[in-house]
Amino acid sequence: MPQTDWLFFRTALLDWYEPERRPMPWKGEPDPYRVWLSEIILQQTRVAQGLPYFERFVAAYPTVTDLAGADDDAVLKLWEGLGYYSRARNLLRAARTVANDLDGHFPDTYTGLKALPGVGPYTAAAIASFAFGRQVAVLDGNVYRVIARFAGDEAPTDGSSGRKHFQQAVDQAMGDTHAADFNQAIMDFGALVCTPRNAACPSCPLAKQCKARAKGTVYDLPVKKKSITKRSRYFHYLVIKDTKGSFLLQQRTTKDIWQSLYEFPLIEADTTDLRLRQLMESEAWPTWLEPNRITEGKRSLVYRQQLSHQTILAVFHQIEWRAPTKLPDRFVRIDRAAHSAYALPRVINRYLEDGTLTLDL
């Protein structure tokens, strides 16, 4: 492969860069708490979606100490709708580490930052460069794409060897340029010009030396060698209403999707094509929910939620329950309006917002 002219690359990139092209409230922000918070929120999240969450978090928890002292359920509720809830749990763990173990001060080095819960190589590099002026190049999806296309690099981006290969490439591309400016420039460039689809190649300042454009392989790069295996899961939620008009929620404790969120009692099956009577006869039916104490109600339409590696197909069974006074420990009783205090999976919120779409059994 012909040698890549990284001097041309960084010169043209920085000539193109203007912070106002992509204004965001954390740009140029020296506060490591806000930089860290923005980067955690934007992991696997578009800026347009993440910005309102950032603003709400800063308003509710202005400092890392405020966040460290927050109630877990309140933080999960504020995070509701962003998905990937492990990020929210790690957010709290990292905040408490900084507040309690580090006297409220974030580590100011790449290595120290990477030791925090939920902070990987990219996030550590971003915080180190933006908040502390460390000379570390970031490597995220935008950067992979820009580097691979400009260099015509067909090396797979996934896996540790791919990350190491492209980290070396972006380090060369950055050279001795101020890291914070270079990092923001290349990420903005990938978001605004060198986009996954409909890239602005005709007006691209890097076009004359872009190897992918010369070869006609712009949309073939970057390369991933692994394909994601997706599966479908079939959830039957029991919307149990007792004689006092209250509903039951339980906290999801398993190390699975939506850990620590609340949900209706759940039976997972191999299909959504099951009626309540069939569920009662299954081994998964909860032993505390005696069939002779319930009255069948309605069954919802099928609700769908697409996650990165799985598709959730959910049906809601509405049940009237002549309940005993004592519940299993993991349950809470709420009225319909009180569900807004609990963090729920999106598929349940959709059902609650659209609860009229029910079918008689």
Side-chain angles (χ1 to χ4, degrees), residues 9-73:
F9 177 90
R10 61 178 166 267
T11 301
L13 179 69
L14 291 171
D15 284 347
W16 169 87
Y17 176 59
E18 294 174 8
E20 293 74 21
R21 290 182 191 272
R22 201 180 178 214
M24 291 179 284
W26 50 82
K27 271 191 176 180
E29 173 60 66
D31 181 357
Y33 169 65
R34 293 191 173 208
V35 176
W36 164 76
L37 181 62
S38 69
E39 293 298 340
I40 299 298
I41 287 174
L42 292 182
Q43 289 173 359
Q44 299 165 301
T45 299
R46 292 176 294 105
V47 169
Q49 182 188 8
L51 178 56
Y53 283 88
F54 173 81
E55 292 173 339
R56 286 195 289 269
F57 263 92
V58 169
Y61 309 113
T63 70
V64 69
T65 305
D66 294 324
L67 180 57
D71 177 75
D72 289 34
D73 286 344

Coordinates of all heavy atoms in Angstrom, one line a residue, residues 9-73:
F9 N -3.2 15.1 5.8 CA -4.4 14.7 6.5 C -4.7 15.7 7.6 O -5.8 16.3 7.7 CB -4.3 13.3 7.0 CG -5.5 12.8 7.8 CD1 -6.6 12.2 7.2 CD2 -5.6 13.0 9.2 CE1 -7.7 11.8 7.9 CE2 -6.7 12.6 9.9 CZ -7.8 12.0 9.2
R10 N -3.8 15.8 8.6 CA -4.1 16.6 9.8 C -4.1 18.1 9.4 O -4.9 18.8 10.0 CB -3.1 16.3 10.9 CG -1.6 16.6 10.6 CD -0.8 16.3 11.9 NE 0.6 16.2 11.6 CZ 1.3 15.1 11.4 NH1 0.6 14.0 11.3 NH2 2.5 15.1 11.1
T11 N -3.3 18.5 8.5 CA -3.4 19.9 8.1 C -4.7 20.3 7.5 O -5.4 21.3 7.8 CB -2.3 20.3 7.1 OG1 -1.0 20.0 7.7 CG2 -2.3 21.7 6.7
A12 N -5.2 19.5 6.5 CA -6.5 19.7 5.9 C -7.6 19.6 6.9 O -8.6 20.3 6.9 CB -6.7 18.7 4.7
L13 N -7.5 18.6 7.8 CA -8.6 18.4 8.8 C -8.7 19.6 9.7 O -9.8 20.1 10.0 CB -8.3 17.1 9.6 CG -9.2 16.7 10.7 CD1 -10.6 16.3 10.1 CD2 -8.7 15.6 11.6
L14 N -7.6 20.1 10.2 CA -7.7 21.2 11.1 C -8.0 22.5 10.5 O -8.6 23.4 11.1 CB -6.3 21.3 11.9 CG -6.1 20.2 12.9 CD1 -4.7 20.2 13.4 CD2 -7.1 20.2 14.0
D15 N -7.7 22.6 9.2 CA -8.1 23.8 8.4 C -9.6 23.8 8.3 O -10.3 24.8 8.2 CB -7.5 23.8 7.0 CG -6.0 24.3 7.1 OD1 -5.6 24.8 8.1 OD2 -5.3 24.1 6.1
W16 N -10.2 22.6 8.1 CA -11.7 22.4 8.0 C -12.4 22.7 9.3 O -13.5 23.2 9.3 CB -12.0 21.0 7.5 CG -13.4 20.6 7.6 CD1 -14.4 20.9 6.6 CD2 -14.1 20.0 8.7 NE1 -15.6 20.4 7.1 CE2 -15.5 19.9 8.3 CE3 -13.7 19.5 9.9 CZ2 -16.4 19.3 9.1 CZ3 -14.6 18.9 10.8 CH2 -16.0 18.8 10.4
Y17 N -11.8 22.3 10.4 CA -12.5 22.3 11.7 C -12.8 23.7 12.2 O -12.0 24.6 12.3 CB -11.6 21.6 12.8 CG -12.2 21.6 14.1 CD1 -13.4 21.0 14.4 CD2 -11.5 22.2 15.2 CE1 -13.9 21.0 15.7 CE2 -12.0 22.2 16.5 CZ -13.3 21.6 16.7 OH -13.8 21.6 18.0
E18 N -14.1 23.8 12.6 CA -14.6 24.9 13.3 C -15.6 24.4 14.4 O -16.5 23.7 14.0 CB -15.4 25.9 12.3 CG -14.5 26.5 11.3 CD -15.3 27.4 10.3 OE1 -16.5 27.5 10.6 OE2 -14.8 27.8 9.3
P19 N -15.4 24.7 15.6 CA -16.2 24.2 16.7 C -17.7 24.5 16.5 O -18.6 23.7 16.9 CB -15.7 24.9 18.0 CG -14.3 25.2 17.6 CD -14.3 25.5 16.2
E20 N -18.0 25.6 15.8 CA -19.4 26.0 15.6 C -20.1 25.1 14.6 O -21.3 25.2 14.5 CB -19.5 27.5 15.1 CG -19.0 28.5 16.1 CD -17.5 28.5 16.3 OE1 -16.8 28.0 15.4 OE2 -17.0 29.0 17.3
R21 N -19.4 24.3 13.9 CA -20.1 23.4 12.9 C -21.0 22.4 13.6 O -22.0 22.0 13.1 CB -19.0 22.6 12.1 CG -18.2 23.4 11.1 CD -17.3 22.5 10.3 NE -16.3 23.2 9.5 CZ -16.5 23.6 8.3 NH1 -17.7 23.4 7.7 NH2 -15.5 24.2 7.7
R22 N -20.6 22.0 14.8 CA -21.3 21.0 15.6 C -21.3 21.4 17.1 O -20.6 20.9 17.9 CB -20.6 19.7 15.4 CG -21.5 18.4 15.7 CD -20.7 17.2 15.5 NE -21.4 16.0 15.8 CZ -20.9 14.9 16.4 NH1 -19.6 14.9 16.6 NH2 -21.6 13.8 16.6
P23 N -22.1 22.5 17.4 CA -22.1 23.0 18.8 C -22.7 22.0 19.8 O -23.7 21.4 19.5 CB -23.0 24.3 18.7 CG -23.8 24.0 17.5 CD -23.1 23.2 16.5
M24 N -22.0 21.8 20.9 CA -22.5 21.0 22.0 C -22.1 21.6 23.3 O -21.0 22.2 23.3 CB -21.9 19.6 21.8 CG -22.5 18.8 20.6 SD -21.8 17.1 20.5 CE -20.2 17.5 19.8
P25 N -22.9 21.5 24.3 CA -22.6 22.3 25.6 C -21.3 21.8 26.3 O -20.8 22.6 27.1 CB -23.8 22.0 26.4 CG -24.4 20.8 25.9 CD -24.1 20.8 24.4
W26 N -20.8 20.7 26.0 CA -19.6 20.2 26.7 C -18.3 20.5 25.9 O -17.2 20.2 26.3 CB -19.7 18.7 26.9 CG -20.0 17.9 25.7 CD1 -19.2 17.5 24.7 CD2 -21.3 17.4 25.4 NE1 -19.9 16.8 23.8 CE2 -21.2 16.7 24.2 CE3 -22.6 17.5 26.0 CZ2 -22.3 16.1 23.5 CZ3 -23.7 16.9 25.4 CH2 -23.5 16.2 24.2
K27 N -18.4 21.1 24.7 CA -17.2 21.4 23.9 C -16.4 22.5 24.6 O -17.0 23.5 25.0 CB -17.6 21.8 22.5 CG -17.7 20.7 21.5 CD -17.9 21.2 20.1 CE -17.9 20.1 19.1 NZ -18.0 20.6 17.7
G28 N -15.1 22.3 24.7 CA -14.3 23.3 25.3 C -14.5 23.3 26.8 O -14.0 24.2 27.5
E29 N -15.2 22.4 27.4 CA -15.5 22.3 28.8 C -14.4 21.8 29.6 O -14.0 20.6 29.4 CB -16.8 21.5 29.0 CG -17.2 21.3 30.4 CD -17.5 22.5 31.2 OE1 -18.5 23.2 30.9 OE2 -16.7 22.9 32.1
P30 N -13.8 22.5 30.5 CA -12.6 22.0 31.3 C -13.0 21.1 32.4 O -12.2 20.5 33.1 CB -11.9 23.2 31.8 CG -13.0 24.2 31.9 CD -14.0 23.9 30.8
D31 N -14.3 21.1 32.8 CA -14.8 20.3 33.9 C -14.8 18.8 33.6 O -15.6 18.4 32.8 CB -16.2 20.8 34.3 CG -16.7 20.0 35.6 OD1 -16.0 19.1 36.1 OD2 -17.8 20.4 36.0
P32 N -13.9 18.0 34.2 CA -13.9 16.6 33.9 C -15.2 15.8 34.1 O -15.5 14.9 33.5 CB -12.7 16.0 34.7 CG -12.5 17.0 35.8 CD -12.9 18.3 35.2
Y33 N -15.9 16.3 35.1 CA -17.2 15.7 35.4 C -18.2 15.8 34.2 O -18.8 14.8 33.8 CB -17.9 16.3 36.7 CG -19.3 15.9 36.9 CD1 -19.6 14.6 37.2 CD2 -20.4 16.8 36.8 CE1 -21.0 14.2 37.4 CE2 -21.7 16.5 37.0 CZ -22.0 15.1 37.3 OH -23.3 14.8 37.5
R34 N -18.3 17.0 33.6 CA -19.2 17.2 32.5 C -18.7 16.4 31.3 O -19.4 15.9 30.5 CB -19.4 18.6 32.2 CG -20.1 19.3 33.3 CD -20.5 20.7 32.9 NE -21.4 21.3 34.0 CZ -22.3 22.2 33.8 NH1 -22.5 22.7 32.5 NH2 -23.0 22.7 34.7
V35 N -17.3 16.4 31.1 CA -16.8 15.7 29.9 C -17.1 14.2 30.1 O -17.5 13.5 29.2 CB -15.3 16.0 29.8 CG1 -14.7 15.1 28.7 CG2 -15.0 17.4 29.5
W36 N -16.8 13.7 31.3 CA -17.1 12.3 31.5 C -18.5 11.9 31.4 O -18.9 10.9 30.7 CB -16.6 11.9 33.0 CG -17.1 10.7 33.5 CD1 -16.7 9.4 33.3 CD2 -18.1 10.5 34.5 NE1 -17.4 8.5 34.0 CE2 -18.3 9.2 34.8 CE3 -18.9 11.5 35.2 CZ2 -19.2 8.7 35.7 CZ3 -19.8 11.0 36.2 CH2 -20.0 9.6 36.4
L37 N -19.4 12.7 31.9 CA -20.8 12.5 31.9 C -21.3 12.5 30.4 O -22.0 11.6 30.0 CB -21.6 13.6 32.6 CG -23.1 13.5 32.7 CD1 -23.5 12.2 33.4 CD2 -23.7 14.7 33.4
S38 N -20.8 13.4 29.6 CA -21.3 13.5 28.2 C -20.8 12.3 27.5 O -21.5 11.7 26.6 CB -20.7 14.8 27.5 OG -19.3 14.7 27.4
E39 N -19.5 11.8 27.7 CA -19.0 10.7 27.0 C -19.7 9.4 27.4 O -19.9 8.5 26.5 CB -17.5 10.6 27.3 CG -16.7 11.7 26.7 CD -16.7 11.8 25.2 OE1 -17.1 10.8 24.5 OE2 -16.4 12.9 24.7
I40 N -20.1 9.2 28.6 CA -20.8 8.0 29.0 C -22.2 8.0 28.4 O -22.7 7.0 27.8 CB -20.9 7.9 30.6 CG1 -19.6 7.8 31.2 CG2 -21.8 6.7 30.9 CD1 -18.7 6.6 30.8
I41 N -22.9 9.2 28.4 CA -24.2 9.2 27.8 C -24.1 9.0 26.3 O -25.0 8.3 25.7 CB -24.8 10.6 28.1 CG1 -25.2 10.7 29.5 CG2 -26.0 10.9 27.1 CD1 -25.7 12.1 30.0
L42 N -23.1 9.4 25.6 CA -23.0 9.3 24.2 C -22.4 8.0 23.7 O -22.3 7.7 22.5 CB -22.1 10.4 23.6 CG -22.7 11.8 23.7 CD1 -21.8 12.9 23.0 CD2 -24.1 11.9 23.0
Q43 N -22.0 7.1 24.6 CA -21.7 5.7 24.2 C -22.9 5.1 23.6 O -23.9 4.9 24.2 CB -21.2 4.9 25.4 CG -19.8 5.3 26.0 CD -19.5 4.6 27.3 OE1 -20.3 3.8 27.8 NE2 -18.4 4.9 27.8
Q44 N -22.8 4.7 22.3 CA -23.8 4.0 21.6 C -25.1 4.8 21.5 O -26.2 4.3 21.5 CB -24.1 2.6 22.3 CG -22.9 1.7 22.2 CD -23.0 0.5 23.1 OE1 -23.1 0.7 24.3 NE2 -22.9 -0.7 22.6
T45 N -25.0 6.1 21.6 CA -26.1 7.0 21.5 C -25.8 8.2 20.6 O -24.8 8.8 20.7 CB -26.5 7.5 22.9 OG1 -26.8 6.4 23.8 CG2 -27.7 8.5 22.9
R46 N -26.8 8.6 19.8 CA -26.6 9.7 18.9 C -26.7 11.0 19.7 O -27.3 11.1 20.8 CB -27.8 9.8 17.9 CG -27.7 8.6 16.8 CD -28.9 8.7 15.9 NE -30.2 8.4 16.6 CZ -31.1 9.3 16.9 NH1 -30.9 10.6 16.6 NH2 -32.2 9.0 17.6
V47 N -25.9 12.0 19.2 CA -25.8 13.3 20.0 C -27.2 13.9 20.2 O -27.6 14.4 21.3 CB -24.9 14.3 19.2 CG1 -25.0 15.7 19.8 CG2 -23.5 13.8 19.3
A48 N -28.1 13.9 19.1 CA -29.4 14.5 19.2 C -30.2 13.8 20.3 O -31.0 14.5 21.0 CB -30.1 14.4 17.9
Q49 N -30.1 12.5 20.5 CA -30.8 11.8 21.6 C -30.1 12.1 22.9 O -30.8 12.2 23.9 CB -30.8 10.3 21.3 CG -31.6 9.5 22.3 CD -31.5 8.0 22.2 OE1 -30.7 7.6 21.4 NE2 -32.3 7.3 22.9
G50 N -28.8 12.1 23.0 CA -28.1 12.2 24.3 C -28.1 13.6 24.9 O -28.1 13.7 26.1
L51 N -28.2 14.6 24.1 CA -28.1 16.0 24.6 C -29.2 16.3 25.7 O -28.8 16.8 26.7 CB -28.2 17.0 23.4 CG -28.2 18.5 23.8 CD1 -26.9 18.8 24.6 CD2 -28.3 19.3 22.5
P52 N -30.4 16.0 25.5 CA -31.4 16.3 26.5 C -31.1 15.6 27.8 O -31.4 16.1 28.9 CB -32.8 15.9 25.9 CG -32.5 15.8 24.5 CD -31.1 15.4 24.3
Y53 N -30.6 14.3 27.7 CA -30.2 13.6 28.9 C -29.1 14.2 29.6 O -29.1 14.3 30.9 CB -29.9 12.1 28.5 CG -31.1 11.3 28.2 CD1 -31.6 11.2 26.9 CD2 -31.7 10.5 29.2 CE1 -32.7 10.4 26.6 CE2 -32.8 9.7 28.9 CZ -33.3 9.7 27.6 OH -34.4 8.9 27.3
F54 N -28.1 14.7 28.9 CA -27.0 15.4 29.5 C -27.5 16.6 30.3 O -27.1 16.8 31.4 CB -26.0 15.8 28.4 CG -24.9 16.7 28.9 CD1 -23.8 16.2 29.6 CD2 -24.9 18.1 28.8 CE1 -22.7 17.0 30.1 CE2 -23.9 18.9 29.3 CZ -22.8 18.3 29.9
E55 N -28.3 17.4 29.7 CA -28.8 18.6 30.3 C -29.6 18.3 31.6 O -29.5 18.9 32.6 CB -29.7 19.4 29.3 CG -28.8 20.0 28.2 CD -29.6 20.6 27.1 OE1 -30.8 20.3 27.0 OE2 -29.1 21.5 26.4
R56 N -30.4 17.2 31.5 CA -31.2 16.8 32.7 C -30.3 16.3 33.8 O -30.6 16.6 35.0 CB -32.3 15.7 32.3 CG -33.4 16.3 31.5 CD -34.6 15.3 31.5 NE -34.3 14.2 30.6 CZ -34.6 14.1 29.3 NH1 -35.2 15.1 28.7 NH2 -34.4 13.0 28.6
F57 N -29.3 15.5 33.5 CA -28.4 15.0 34.5 C -27.6 16.1 35.2 O -27.5 16.2 36.4 CB -27.4 14.0 33.9 CG -27.8 12.6 34.1 CD1 -28.6 11.9 33.1 CD2 -27.5 11.9 35.2 CE1 -29.0 10.6 33.3 CE2 -27.9 10.5 35.4 CZ -28.6 9.9 34.4
V58 N -27.1 17.1 34.4 CA -26.4 18.2 35.0 C -27.3 19.1 35.9 O -26.9 19.5 36.9 CB -25.8 19.1 33.8 CG1 -25.3 20.4 34.4 CG2 -24.7 18.3 33.1
A59 N -28.6 19.2 35.5 CA -29.5 20.0 36.3 C -29.8 19.2 37.6 O -29.9 19.9 38.7 CB -30.8 20.2 35.5
A60 N -29.9 17.9 37.5 CA -30.3 17.1 38.7 C -29.1 16.9 39.6 O -29.2 16.9 40.9 CB -30.9 15.8 38.3
Y61 N -27.9 16.7 39.0 CA -26.7 16.4 39.7 C -25.5 17.2 39.2 O -24.8 16.8 38.3 CB -26.4 14.9 39.6 CG -27.5 14.0 39.9 CD1 -28.1 13.2 38.9 CD2 -28.1 13.9 41.2 CE1 -29.2 12.4 39.2 CE2 -29.1 13.1 41.5 CZ -29.7 12.3 40.4 OH -30.8 11.5 40.7
P62 N -25.4 18.5 39.7 CA -24.4 19.4 39.1 C -22.9 19.0 39.3 O -22.1 19.4 38.6 CB -24.7 20.7 39.9 CG -26.0 20.5 40.5 CD -26.2 19.1 40.7
T63 N -22.7 18.1 40.3 CA -21.3 17.7 40.6 C -21.2 16.2 40.7 O -22.3 15.5 40.9 CB -20.7 18.3 41.9 OG1 -21.4 17.7 43.0 CG2 -20.9 19.8 41.9
V64 N -20.0 15.7 40.6 CA -19.9 14.2 40.8 C -20.3 13.8 42.2 O -20.8 12.6 42.4 CB -18.4 13.8 40.4 CG1 -17.4 14.3 41.5 CG2 -18.3 12.3 40.3
T65 N -20.1 14.6 43.2 CA -20.5 14.3 44.5 C -22.0 14.2 44.6 O -22.5 13.3 45.3 CB -20.0 15.3 45.5 OG1 -18.5 15.4 45.4 CG2 -20.3 15.0 47.0
D66 N -22.7 15.1 44.0 CA -24.2 15.0 43.9 C -24.6 13.7 43.3 O -25.6 13.0 43.8 CB -24.8 16.2 43.1 CG -24.5 17.5 43.8 OD1 -24.5 17.6 45.0 OD2 -24.3 18.5 43.0
L67 N -24.0 13.3 42.2 CA -24.4 12.1 41.5 C -24.1 10.9 42.4 O -24.8 9.9 42.5 CB -23.7 12.0 40.2 CG -24.0 10.7 39.4 CD1 -25.5 10.6 39.1 CD2 -23.2 10.8 38.0
A68 N -22.9 10.9 43.1 CA -22.5 9.8 43.9 C -23.5 9.5 45.0 O -23.7 8.4 45.5 CB -21.1 10.1 44.5
G69 N -24.2 10.6 45.5 CA -25.1 10.5 46.6 C -26.5 10.2 46.2 O -27.5 10.1 47.0
A70 N -26.7 10.0 44.9 CA -28.1 9.9 44.3 C -28.6 8.5 44.6 O -27.9 7.5 44.7 CB -28.1 10.1 42.8
D71 N -29.9 8.4 44.7 CA -30.6 7.1 44.8 C -30.5 6.3 43.5 O -30.7 6.9 42.4 CB -32.1 7.3 45.1 CG -32.9 6.0 45.2 OD1 -32.7 5.3 46.2 OD2 -33.6 5.7 44.3
D72 N -30.2 5.0 43.5 CA -30.0 4.2 42.3 C -31.2 4.3 41.4 O -31.1 4.5 40.2 CB -29.7 2.8 42.7 CG -28.3 2.6 43.3 OD1 -27.8 3.5 44.0 OD2 -27.7 1.5 43.1
D73 N -32.4 4.1 42.0 CA -33.6 4.1 41.2 C -33.9 5.4 40.6 O -34.4 5.5 39.4 CB -34.9 3.7 42.1 CG -34.9 2.2 42.5 OD1 -34.2 1.4 41.8 OD2 -35.6 1.9 43.4

